[in-house]
Short mmCIF file of all heavy atoms in Angstrom, two decimals:
data_model
loop_
_atom_site.label_atom_id
_atom_site.label_comp_id
_atom_site.label_asym_id
_atom_site.label_seq_id
_atom_site.Cartn_x
_atom_site.Cartn_y
_atom_site.Cartn_z
N MET A 1 3.94 14.69 5.85
CA MET A 1 3.14 13.96 4.85
C MET A 1 3.40 12.44 4.90
O MET A 1 4.57 12.08 5.01
CB MET A 1 3.49 14.46 3.42
CG MET A 1 2.88 15.80 3.15
SD MET A 1 2.98 16.34 1.41
CE MET A 1 3.90 15.15 0.56
N PRO A 2 2.37 11.63 4.83
CA PRO A 2 2.60 10.22 4.91
C PRO A 2 3.32 9.73 3.62
O PRO A 2 3.06 10.20 2.54
CB PRO A 2 1.20 9.64 4.97
CG PRO A 2 0.30 10.77 5.32
CD PRO A 2 0.96 12.00 4.82
N HIS A 3 4.12 8.76 3.84
CA HIS A 3 4.83 8.05 2.75
C HIS A 3 4.53 6.61 2.80
O HIS A 3 4.65 6.02 3.90
CB HIS A 3 6.37 8.30 2.88
CG HIS A 3 7.21 7.57 1.89
ND1 HIS A 3 7.74 6.35 2.13
CD2 HIS A 3 7.61 7.95 0.63
CE1 HIS A 3 8.40 5.93 1.01
NE2 HIS A 3 8.34 6.92 0.13
N VAL A 4 4.04 6.04 1.75
CA VAL A 4 3.58 4.62 1.78
C VAL A 4 4.35 3.75 0.88
O VAL A 4 4.73 4.10 -0.20
CB VAL A 4 2.06 4.57 1.47
CG1 VAL A 4 1.74 5.12 0.08
CG2 VAL A 4 1.53 3.13 1.57
N ARG A 5 4.65 2.55 1.33
CA ARG A 5 5.32 1.55 0.51
C ARG A 5 4.86 0.16 0.99
O ARG A 5 4.29 0.00 2.05
CB ARG A 5 6.84 1.67 0.63
CG ARG A 5 7.40 1.28 1.97
CD ARG A 5 8.90 1.49 2.03
NE ARG A 5 9.43 1.06 3.30
CZ ARG A 5 9.79 -0.18 3.65
NH1 ARG A 5 9.65 -1.16 2.74
NH2 ARG A 5 10.24 -0.42 4.80
N VAL A 6 5.23 -0.83 0.17
CA VAL A 6 4.92 -2.27 0.54
C VAL A 6 6.27 -2.91 0.82
O VAL A 6 7.20 -2.82 -0.01
CB VAL A 6 4.19 -2.93 -0.65
CG1 VAL A 6 4.00 -4.43 -0.31
CG2 VAL A 6 2.85 -2.32 -0.86
N ASP A 7 6.32 -3.59 1.91
CA ASP A 7 7.52 -4.37 2.23
C ASP A 7 7.53 -5.66 1.41
O ASP A 7 6.71 -6.55 1.58
CB ASP A 7 7.52 -4.71 3.71
CG ASP A 7 8.78 -5.49 4.17
OD1 ASP A 7 9.49 -6.06 3.29
OD2 ASP A 7 9.02 -5.47 5.39
N PRO A 8 8.45 -5.74 0.42
CA PRO A 8 8.44 -6.88 -0.49
C PRO A 8 8.79 -8.22 0.23
O PRO A 8 8.49 -9.32 -0.26
CB PRO A 8 9.53 -6.55 -1.53
CG PRO A 8 10.39 -5.57 -0.86
CD PRO A 8 9.56 -4.81 0.12
N GLY A 9 9.39 -8.09 1.42
CA GLY A 9 9.76 -9.29 2.16
C GLY A 9 8.52 -9.88 2.89
O GLY A 9 8.57 -10.98 3.35
N LYS A 10 7.45 -9.09 3.00
CA LYS A 10 6.25 -9.57 3.71
C LYS A 10 5.04 -9.81 2.78
O LYS A 10 4.24 -10.62 3.06
CB LYS A 10 5.83 -8.54 4.73
CG LYS A 10 6.79 -8.45 5.91
CD LYS A 10 6.24 -7.43 6.93
CE LYS A 10 7.09 -7.33 8.18
NZ LYS A 10 6.65 -6.35 9.09
N CYS A 11 4.96 -9.03 1.69
CA CYS A 11 3.81 -9.21 0.79
C CYS A 11 3.71 -10.62 0.19
O CYS A 11 4.69 -11.17 -0.30
CB CYS A 11 3.87 -8.20 -0.37
SG CYS A 11 2.56 -8.37 -1.54
N GLN A 12 2.52 -11.15 0.33
CA GLN A 12 2.22 -12.49 -0.18
C GLN A 12 1.18 -12.48 -1.32
O GLN A 12 0.77 -13.55 -1.73
CB GLN A 12 1.73 -13.46 0.96
CG GLN A 12 2.78 -13.70 2.05
CD GLN A 12 3.98 -14.42 1.53
OE1 GLN A 12 3.87 -15.44 0.80
NE2 GLN A 12 5.18 -13.97 1.88
N GLY A 13 0.90 -11.28 -1.77
CA GLY A 13 -0.03 -11.19 -2.94
C GLY A 13 -1.47 -11.40 -2.67
O GLY A 13 -2.23 -11.80 -3.52
N HIS A 14 -1.89 -11.10 -1.45
CA HIS A 14 -3.33 -11.27 -1.11
C HIS A 14 -4.23 -10.26 -1.89
O HIS A 14 -5.41 -10.53 -1.98
CB HIS A 14 -3.56 -11.15 0.39
CG HIS A 14 -2.89 -12.19 1.17
ND1 HIS A 14 -3.33 -13.49 1.19
CD2 HIS A 14 -1.81 -12.14 2.00
CE1 HIS A 14 -2.53 -14.22 1.98
NE2 HIS A 14 -1.61 -13.41 2.52
N ALA A 15 -3.66 -9.15 -2.29
CA ALA A 15 -4.34 -8.16 -3.10
C ALA A 15 -5.51 -7.47 -2.38
O ALA A 15 -6.35 -6.82 -3.04
CB ALA A 15 -4.82 -8.71 -4.43
N ARG A 16 -5.57 -7.57 -1.11
CA ARG A 16 -6.61 -6.78 -0.36
C ARG A 16 -6.34 -5.29 -0.53
O ARG A 16 -7.30 -4.48 -0.47
CB ARG A 16 -6.59 -7.19 1.15
CG ARG A 16 -6.74 -8.69 1.39
CD ARG A 16 -8.11 -9.19 1.06
NE ARG A 16 -9.11 -8.67 1.97
CZ ARG A 16 -10.40 -8.58 1.64
NH1 ARG A 16 -10.81 -8.99 0.45
NH2 ARG A 16 -11.26 -8.10 2.51
N CYS A 17 -5.14 -4.90 -0.56
CA CYS A 17 -4.80 -3.50 -0.72
C CYS A 17 -5.37 -2.90 -2.00
O CYS A 17 -5.85 -1.75 -1.93
CB CYS A 17 -3.28 -3.32 -0.70
SG CYS A 17 -2.38 -4.35 -1.86
N LEU A 18 -5.45 -3.66 -3.03
CA LEU A 18 -6.02 -3.14 -4.28
C LEU A 18 -7.53 -3.03 -4.15
O LEU A 18 -8.14 -2.25 -4.85
CB LEU A 18 -5.64 -4.07 -5.45
CG LEU A 18 -4.37 -3.61 -6.17
CD1 LEU A 18 -3.18 -4.22 -5.50
CD2 LEU A 18 -4.41 -3.92 -7.61
N VAL A 19 -8.16 -3.91 -3.38
CA VAL A 19 -9.57 -3.81 -3.16
C VAL A 19 -9.96 -2.54 -2.48
O VAL A 19 -10.89 -1.85 -2.91
CB VAL A 19 -10.07 -5.04 -2.36
CG1 VAL A 19 -11.57 -4.82 -2.00
CG2 VAL A 19 -9.90 -6.33 -3.11
N PHE A 20 -9.22 -2.16 -1.45
CA PHE A 20 -9.53 -1.02 -0.64
C PHE A 20 -8.92 0.33 -1.22
O PHE A 20 -9.49 1.35 -0.98
CB PHE A 20 -9.06 -1.19 0.77
CG PHE A 20 -9.92 -2.19 1.51
CD1 PHE A 20 -9.47 -3.53 1.66
CD2 PHE A 20 -11.15 -1.88 2.00
CE1 PHE A 20 -10.28 -4.48 2.28
CE2 PHE A 20 -11.92 -2.80 2.62
CZ PHE A 20 -11.53 -4.12 2.81
N ALA A 21 -7.81 0.20 -1.88
CA ALA A 21 -7.17 1.49 -2.40
C ALA A 21 -6.56 1.25 -3.73
O ALA A 21 -5.37 1.27 -3.96
CB ALA A 21 -6.07 1.92 -1.37
N PRO A 22 -7.39 1.03 -4.77
CA PRO A 22 -6.90 0.69 -6.08
C PRO A 22 -6.14 1.90 -6.71
O PRO A 22 -5.39 1.69 -7.74
CB PRO A 22 -8.17 0.35 -6.86
CG PRO A 22 -9.28 1.07 -6.13
CD PRO A 22 -8.90 1.02 -4.69
N GLU A 23 -6.31 3.07 -6.20
CA GLU A 23 -5.64 4.23 -6.78
C GLU A 23 -4.26 4.43 -6.21
O GLU A 23 -3.51 5.28 -6.66
CB GLU A 23 -6.52 5.48 -6.64
CG GLU A 23 -7.81 5.30 -7.46
CD GLU A 23 -8.79 6.49 -7.39
OE1 GLU A 23 -8.40 7.45 -6.65
OE2 GLU A 23 -9.78 6.41 -7.98
N ILE A 24 -3.92 3.66 -5.19
CA ILE A 24 -2.58 3.76 -4.59
C ILE A 24 -1.67 2.62 -4.93
O ILE A 24 -0.50 2.79 -5.28
CB ILE A 24 -2.71 3.86 -3.07
CG1 ILE A 24 -3.58 5.13 -2.65
CG2 ILE A 24 -1.37 3.89 -2.37
CD1 ILE A 24 -3.87 5.20 -1.17
N PHE A 25 -2.24 1.40 -4.94
CA PHE A 25 -1.43 0.19 -5.08
C PHE A 25 -1.55 -0.36 -6.54
O PHE A 25 -2.55 -0.15 -7.25
CB PHE A 25 -1.92 -0.88 -4.10
CG PHE A 25 -1.69 -0.44 -2.65
CD1 PHE A 25 -2.70 0.24 -2.01
CD2 PHE A 25 -0.51 -0.69 -2.02
CE1 PHE A 25 -2.52 0.64 -0.65
CE2 PHE A 25 -0.32 -0.29 -0.71
CZ PHE A 25 -1.34 0.42 -0.04
N ASP A 26 -0.54 -1.16 -6.88
CA ASP A 26 -0.54 -1.90 -8.18
C ASP A 26 0.08 -3.24 -7.93
O ASP A 26 0.77 -3.46 -6.89
CB ASP A 26 0.26 -1.09 -9.18
CG ASP A 26 -0.15 -1.36 -10.63
OD1 ASP A 26 -0.87 -2.38 -10.84
OD2 ASP A 26 0.26 -0.61 -11.52
N LEU A 27 -0.13 -4.19 -8.82
CA LEU A 27 0.51 -5.48 -8.71
C LEU A 27 1.50 -5.67 -9.78
O LEU A 27 1.33 -5.26 -10.94
CB LEU A 27 -0.61 -6.62 -8.86
CG LEU A 27 -1.59 -6.78 -7.74
CD1 LEU A 27 -2.43 -8.00 -8.11
CD2 LEU A 27 -0.94 -6.93 -6.37
N ASP A 28 2.62 -6.29 -9.40
CA ASP A 28 3.68 -6.56 -10.38
C ASP A 28 3.32 -7.86 -11.19
O ASP A 28 2.28 -8.43 -10.97
CB ASP A 28 5.07 -6.62 -9.74
CG ASP A 28 5.23 -7.78 -8.80
OD1 ASP A 28 4.47 -8.76 -8.91
OD2 ASP A 28 6.17 -7.79 -7.98
N ASP A 29 4.20 -8.20 -12.07
CA ASP A 29 3.90 -9.38 -12.93
C ASP A 29 3.76 -10.66 -12.15
O ASP A 29 3.13 -11.67 -12.70
CB ASP A 29 5.00 -9.49 -14.01
CG ASP A 29 4.94 -8.38 -15.00
OD1 ASP A 29 3.89 -7.68 -15.06
OD2 ASP A 29 5.92 -8.14 -15.71
N GLU A 30 4.25 -10.71 -10.99
CA GLU A 30 4.19 -11.97 -10.19
C GLU A 30 3.04 -11.86 -9.14
O GLU A 30 2.89 -12.79 -8.30
CB GLU A 30 5.56 -12.23 -9.50
CG GLU A 30 6.62 -12.47 -10.55
CD GLU A 30 7.99 -12.72 -9.95
OE1 GLU A 30 8.23 -12.28 -8.81
OE2 GLU A 30 8.81 -13.41 -10.59
N GLY A 31 2.33 -10.80 -9.16
CA GLY A 31 1.15 -10.74 -8.26
C GLY A 31 1.42 -10.11 -6.91
O GLY A 31 0.57 -10.17 -6.04
N TYR A 32 2.59 -9.48 -6.78
CA TYR A 32 2.94 -8.82 -5.53
C TYR A 32 2.63 -7.34 -5.65
O TYR A 32 2.78 -6.75 -6.69
CB TYR A 32 4.38 -9.06 -5.18
CG TYR A 32 4.68 -10.46 -4.88
CD1 TYR A 32 5.41 -11.26 -5.81
CD2 TYR A 32 4.28 -11.12 -3.66
CE1 TYR A 32 5.71 -12.60 -5.57
CE2 TYR A 32 4.50 -12.44 -3.43
CZ TYR A 32 5.24 -13.20 -4.30
OH TYR A 32 5.48 -14.52 -4.09
N SER A 33 2.25 -6.75 -4.58
CA SER A 33 1.86 -5.34 -4.56
C SER A 33 3.06 -4.44 -4.43
O SER A 33 4.04 -4.75 -3.85
CB SER A 33 0.90 -5.09 -3.38
OG SER A 33 0.57 -3.72 -3.29
N PHE A 34 2.90 -3.26 -5.07
CA PHE A 34 3.84 -2.18 -4.88
C PHE A 34 3.13 -0.83 -5.07
O PHE A 34 1.99 -0.77 -5.53
CB PHE A 34 5.05 -2.27 -5.90
CG PHE A 34 4.63 -2.01 -7.31
CD1 PHE A 34 4.85 -0.77 -7.95
CD2 PHE A 34 4.01 -2.98 -8.11
CE1 PHE A 34 4.48 -0.52 -9.26
CE2 PHE A 34 3.62 -2.73 -9.41
CZ PHE A 34 3.89 -1.48 -9.99
N VAL A 35 3.78 0.22 -4.64
CA VAL A 35 3.19 1.56 -4.76
C VAL A 35 4.02 2.30 -5.81
O VAL A 35 5.23 2.55 -5.63
CB VAL A 35 3.22 2.34 -3.41
CG1 VAL A 35 2.58 3.70 -3.61
CG2 VAL A 35 2.49 1.51 -2.30
N PRO A 36 3.42 2.65 -6.94
CA PRO A 36 4.13 3.39 -7.97
C PRO A 36 4.71 4.68 -7.38
O PRO A 36 4.04 5.30 -6.52
CB PRO A 36 3.08 3.65 -8.99
CG PRO A 36 2.07 2.57 -8.87
CD PRO A 36 2.01 2.32 -7.37
N GLU A 37 5.84 5.09 -7.88
CA GLU A 37 6.48 6.27 -7.35
C GLU A 37 5.62 7.49 -7.18
O GLU A 37 5.65 8.14 -6.12
CB GLU A 37 7.65 6.61 -8.32
CG GLU A 37 8.48 7.91 -7.93
CD GLU A 37 9.26 7.69 -6.65
OE1 GLU A 37 9.84 6.60 -6.50
OE2 GLU A 37 9.29 8.63 -5.86
N GLU A 38 4.75 7.75 -8.14
CA GLU A 38 3.94 8.93 -8.08
C GLU A 38 2.86 8.84 -7.05
O GLU A 38 2.17 9.88 -6.77
CB GLU A 38 3.30 9.23 -9.47
CG GLU A 38 2.32 8.14 -9.94
CD GLU A 38 3.02 7.05 -10.79
OE1 GLU A 38 4.22 6.80 -10.60
OE2 GLU A 38 2.29 6.50 -11.64
N HIS A 39 2.63 7.69 -6.46
CA HIS A 39 1.61 7.55 -5.38
C HIS A 39 2.14 7.40 -4.01
O HIS A 39 1.39 7.27 -3.08
CB HIS A 39 0.76 6.32 -5.73
CG HIS A 39 -0.07 6.46 -6.98
ND1 HIS A 39 -0.60 5.37 -7.64
CD2 HIS A 39 -0.41 7.57 -7.71
CE1 HIS A 39 -1.25 5.75 -8.72
NE2 HIS A 39 -1.13 7.11 -8.78
N ARG A 40 3.48 7.44 -3.83
CA ARG A 40 4.08 7.14 -2.57
C ARG A 40 3.88 8.26 -1.53
O ARG A 40 3.72 7.99 -0.35
CB ARG A 40 5.56 6.89 -2.74
CG ARG A 40 5.77 5.51 -3.47
CD ARG A 40 7.20 5.16 -3.61
NE ARG A 40 7.27 3.99 -4.50
CZ ARG A 40 8.33 3.56 -5.16
NH1 ARG A 40 9.52 4.23 -4.97
NH2 ARG A 40 8.29 2.56 -5.99
N HIS A 41 3.99 9.50 -1.99
CA HIS A 41 3.83 10.57 -1.07
C HIS A 41 2.37 11.04 -1.06
O HIS A 41 1.88 11.49 -2.07
CB HIS A 41 4.74 11.74 -1.38
CG HIS A 41 6.22 11.42 -1.18
ND1 HIS A 41 6.81 11.54 0.02
CD2 HIS A 41 7.16 10.89 -2.03
CE1 HIS A 41 8.08 11.10 -0.07
NE2 HIS A 41 8.31 10.72 -1.31
N ARG A 42 1.73 10.96 0.07
CA ARG A 42 0.30 11.24 0.21
C ARG A 42 0.12 12.62 0.87
O ARG A 42 0.97 12.99 1.74
CB ARG A 42 -0.41 10.20 1.05
CG ARG A 42 -0.08 8.74 0.77
CD ARG A 42 -0.38 8.33 -0.69
NE ARG A 42 -1.76 8.59 -1.04
CZ ARG A 42 -2.19 8.51 -2.32
NH1 ARG A 42 -1.36 8.22 -3.28
NH2 ARG A 42 -3.47 8.71 -2.52
N GLU A 43 -0.89 13.36 0.48
CA GLU A 43 -1.17 14.61 1.12
C GLU A 43 -1.53 14.40 2.59
O GLU A 43 -1.19 15.22 3.45
CB GLU A 43 -2.30 15.28 0.42
CG GLU A 43 -1.96 15.78 -0.97
CD GLU A 43 -1.10 17.00 -0.93
OE1 GLU A 43 -1.38 17.93 -0.11
OE2 GLU A 43 -0.14 17.06 -1.75
N GLN A 44 -2.27 13.30 2.85
CA GLN A 44 -2.72 13.05 4.20
C GLN A 44 -3.12 11.59 4.27
O GLN A 44 -3.22 10.92 3.24
CB GLN A 44 -3.92 13.90 4.53
CG GLN A 44 -5.11 13.69 3.60
CD GLN A 44 -6.17 14.80 3.84
OE1 GLN A 44 -6.04 15.67 4.61
NE2 GLN A 44 -7.26 14.56 3.12
N MET A 45 -3.32 11.12 5.51
CA MET A 45 -3.81 9.73 5.68
C MET A 45 -5.30 9.67 5.27
O MET A 45 -6.07 10.52 5.74
CB MET A 45 -3.67 9.34 7.15
CG MET A 45 -3.94 7.85 7.41
SD MET A 45 -2.78 6.83 6.55
CE MET A 45 -3.13 5.25 7.22
N THR A 46 -5.68 8.88 4.28
CA THR A 46 -7.08 8.84 3.84
C THR A 46 -7.66 7.53 4.28
O THR A 46 -6.99 6.53 4.64
CB THR A 46 -7.11 8.95 2.32
OG1 THR A 46 -6.17 8.04 1.76
CG2 THR A 46 -6.74 10.42 1.88
N GLU A 47 -8.98 7.46 4.16
CA GLU A 47 -9.73 6.25 4.65
C GLU A 47 -9.35 5.04 3.76
O GLU A 47 -9.22 3.94 4.31
CB GLU A 47 -11.25 6.57 4.54
CG GLU A 47 -12.07 5.45 5.10
CD GLU A 47 -11.95 5.23 6.60
OE1 GLU A 47 -11.19 5.90 7.24
OE2 GLU A 47 -12.57 4.27 7.09
N ASP A 48 -9.19 5.23 2.48
CA ASP A 48 -8.84 4.05 1.64
C ASP A 48 -7.51 3.44 2.03
O ASP A 48 -7.29 2.25 2.11
CB ASP A 48 -8.89 4.40 0.13
CG ASP A 48 -7.99 5.57 -0.25
OD1 ASP A 48 -7.45 6.25 0.63
OD2 ASP A 48 -7.83 5.77 -1.47
N LEU A 49 -6.52 4.36 2.31
CA LEU A 49 -5.21 3.84 2.74
C LEU A 49 -5.27 3.18 4.14
O LEU A 49 -4.70 2.13 4.35
CB LEU A 49 -4.24 5.01 2.70
CG LEU A 49 -2.79 4.69 3.18
CD1 LEU A 49 -2.21 3.51 2.37
CD2 LEU A 49 -1.92 5.91 3.09
N ARG A 50 -6.02 3.81 5.00
CA ARG A 50 -6.17 3.24 6.32
C ARG A 50 -6.77 1.85 6.27
O ARG A 50 -6.30 0.90 6.95
CB ARG A 50 -7.08 4.18 7.23
CG ARG A 50 -7.06 3.82 8.68
CD ARG A 50 -8.05 4.62 9.44
NE ARG A 50 -9.40 4.21 9.11
CZ ARG A 50 -10.01 3.10 9.50
NH1 ARG A 50 -9.31 2.27 10.22
NH2 ARG A 50 -11.22 2.81 9.14
N LEU A 51 -7.79 1.66 5.42
CA LEU A 51 -8.41 0.38 5.27
C LEU A 51 -7.46 -0.65 4.62
O LEU A 51 -7.47 -1.86 5.01
CB LEU A 51 -9.70 0.46 4.49
CG LEU A 51 -10.86 1.13 5.18
CD1 LEU A 51 -12.01 1.46 4.22
CD2 LEU A 51 -11.39 0.18 6.28
N ALA A 52 -6.73 -0.23 3.64
CA ALA A 52 -5.73 -1.15 3.06
C ALA A 52 -4.73 -1.64 4.09
O ALA A 52 -4.47 -2.84 4.13
CB ALA A 52 -5.00 -0.41 1.91
N VAL A 53 -4.19 -0.70 4.91
CA VAL A 53 -3.26 -1.08 5.93
C VAL A 53 -3.90 -2.10 6.87
O VAL A 53 -3.29 -3.14 7.25
CB VAL A 53 -2.79 0.12 6.72
CG1 VAL A 53 -1.98 -0.25 7.95
CG2 VAL A 53 -1.94 1.00 5.77
N ALA A 54 -5.09 -1.80 7.29
CA ALA A 54 -5.78 -2.60 8.30
C ALA A 54 -6.11 -4.04 7.74
O ALA A 54 -6.25 -4.97 8.55
CB ALA A 54 -7.04 -1.92 8.78
N ASN A 55 -6.31 -4.13 6.46
CA ASN A 55 -6.76 -5.40 5.85
C ASN A 55 -5.67 -6.25 5.22
O ASN A 55 -5.97 -7.30 4.68
CB ASN A 55 -7.91 -5.13 4.82
CG ASN A 55 -9.19 -4.83 5.58
OD1 ASN A 55 -9.96 -5.69 5.94
ND2 ASN A 55 -9.51 -3.58 5.76
N CYS A 56 -4.45 -5.80 5.26
CA CYS A 56 -3.41 -6.62 4.71
C CYS A 56 -3.05 -7.68 5.79
O CYS A 56 -2.61 -7.35 6.91
CB CYS A 56 -2.19 -5.80 4.46
SG CYS A 56 -0.79 -6.89 3.96
N PRO A 57 -3.29 -8.97 5.43
CA PRO A 57 -3.08 -10.03 6.47
C PRO A 57 -1.57 -10.18 6.82
O PRO A 57 -1.32 -10.74 7.89
CB PRO A 57 -3.50 -11.31 5.76
CG PRO A 57 -4.26 -10.85 4.51
CD PRO A 57 -3.80 -9.49 4.19
N GLU A 58 -0.72 -9.70 5.98
CA GLU A 58 0.74 -9.90 6.27
C GLU A 58 1.33 -8.64 6.91
O GLU A 58 2.52 -8.58 7.19
CB GLU A 58 1.51 -10.14 5.00
CG GLU A 58 0.92 -11.26 4.13
CD GLU A 58 1.00 -12.61 4.87
OE1 GLU A 58 1.86 -12.80 5.70
OE2 GLU A 58 0.16 -13.51 4.50
N ARG A 59 0.53 -7.58 7.16
CA ARG A 59 1.03 -6.33 7.72
C ARG A 59 2.23 -5.82 6.88
O ARG A 59 3.23 -5.39 7.42
CB ARG A 59 1.46 -6.51 9.19
CG ARG A 59 0.29 -6.89 10.08
CD ARG A 59 -0.54 -5.71 10.41
NE ARG A 59 -1.64 -5.96 11.30
CZ ARG A 59 -2.94 -6.03 10.94
NH1 ARG A 59 -3.23 -5.92 9.68
NH2 ARG A 59 -3.86 -6.24 11.81
N ALA A 60 2.05 -5.92 5.53
CA ALA A 60 3.13 -5.62 4.62
C ALA A 60 3.19 -4.11 4.23
O ALA A 60 4.14 -3.68 3.58
CB ALA A 60 3.04 -6.48 3.43
N ILE A 61 2.10 -3.39 4.53
CA ILE A 61 2.04 -2.01 4.08
C ILE A 61 2.62 -1.06 5.13
O ILE A 61 2.16 -1.10 6.29
CB ILE A 61 0.59 -1.59 3.75
CG1 ILE A 61 0.04 -2.50 2.71
CG2 ILE A 61 0.50 -0.10 3.33
CD1 ILE A 61 -1.51 -2.45 2.50
N VAL A 62 3.60 -0.32 4.74
CA VAL A 62 4.30 0.55 5.73
C VAL A 62 3.97 1.98 5.41
O VAL A 62 4.17 2.48 4.29
CB VAL A 62 5.87 0.31 5.58
CG1 VAL A 62 6.60 1.22 6.56
CG2 VAL A 62 6.19 -1.12 5.78
N VAL A 63 3.43 2.70 6.39
CA VAL A 63 3.18 4.16 6.23
C VAL A 63 4.02 4.91 7.28
O VAL A 63 3.94 4.64 8.49
CB VAL A 63 1.67 4.47 6.47
CG1 VAL A 63 1.42 5.96 6.29
CG2 VAL A 63 0.80 3.70 5.50
N LYS A 64 4.79 5.81 6.76
CA LYS A 64 5.67 6.66 7.66
C LYS A 64 5.40 8.12 7.40
O LYS A 64 5.18 8.49 6.24
CB LYS A 64 7.06 6.33 7.44
CG LYS A 64 7.49 4.99 8.04
CD LYS A 64 9.00 4.85 8.09
CE LYS A 64 9.41 3.57 8.81
NZ LYS A 64 10.66 3.01 8.33
N GLU A 65 5.49 8.91 8.41
CA GLU A 65 5.44 10.33 8.25
C GLU A 65 6.81 10.83 7.79
O GLU A 65 7.82 10.44 8.42
CB GLU A 65 5.05 11.02 9.59
CG GLU A 65 3.56 10.78 9.96
CD GLU A 65 2.62 11.53 9.01
OE1 GLU A 65 2.96 12.54 8.44
OE2 GLU A 65 1.48 11.01 8.83
N ASP A 66 6.86 11.67 6.76
CA ASP A 66 8.14 12.22 6.33
C ASP A 66 8.65 13.25 7.30
O ASP A 66 7.87 13.94 7.99
CB ASP A 66 7.94 12.87 4.96
CG ASP A 66 7.90 11.78 3.87
OD1 ASP A 66 8.33 10.69 4.12
OD2 ASP A 66 7.44 12.14 2.72
FE1 F3S B 101 0.54 -7.83 -0.38
FE2 F3S B 101 -0.92 -7.24 1.68
FE3 F3S B 101 -1.53 -6.21 -0.58
S1 F3S B 101 0.01 -9.21 1.27
S2 F3S B 101 -0.91 -7.71 -2.09
S3 F3S B 101 0.33 -5.79 0.54
S4 F3S B 101 -2.96 -6.99 0.97
#
């Protein structure tokens, strides 16, 4: 199962991830993206997640297979 997170060292708050996958990502009080715990483990790679990964200019979204 894919596991998704945002690398806080790379995220610059472009918020493209929220445009493409608003049900996976959230923004913290400073405008940086994170994935809430309940959304981290995905059943499968979905199109919204794939687009979010592809459109993050900082390549900050990390998807790994468990
Ligand atoms: Fe950050 Fe990339 Fe989203 S820079 S806010 S993870 S589009």
Side-chain angles (χ1 to χ4, degrees):
M1 283 190 356
H3 175 268
V4 58
R5 68 180 182 88
V6 175
D7 183 339
K10 290 185 177 176
C11 178
Q12 296 295 316
H14 295 291
R16 305 292 292 159
C17 50
L18 270 87
V19 172
F20 289 99
E23 294 178 2
I24 298 174
F25 298 91
D26 204 347
L27 290 184
D28 67 17
D29 291 343
E30 296 179 335
Y32 296 106
S33 176
F34 68 99
V35 182
E37 177 68 38
E38 64 270 27
H39 295 162
R40 290 181 192 165
H41 290 276
R42 316 300 303 170
E43 290 286 317
Q44 59 189 6
M45 190 64 170
T46 50
E47 185 66 2
D48 58 348
L49 178 55
R50 192 189 67 74
L51 285 169
V53 170
N55 283 276
C56 174
E58 309 297 335
R59 298 281 181 256
I61 301 168
V62 181
V63 180
K64 285 193 174 151
E65 288 291 332
D66 283 342

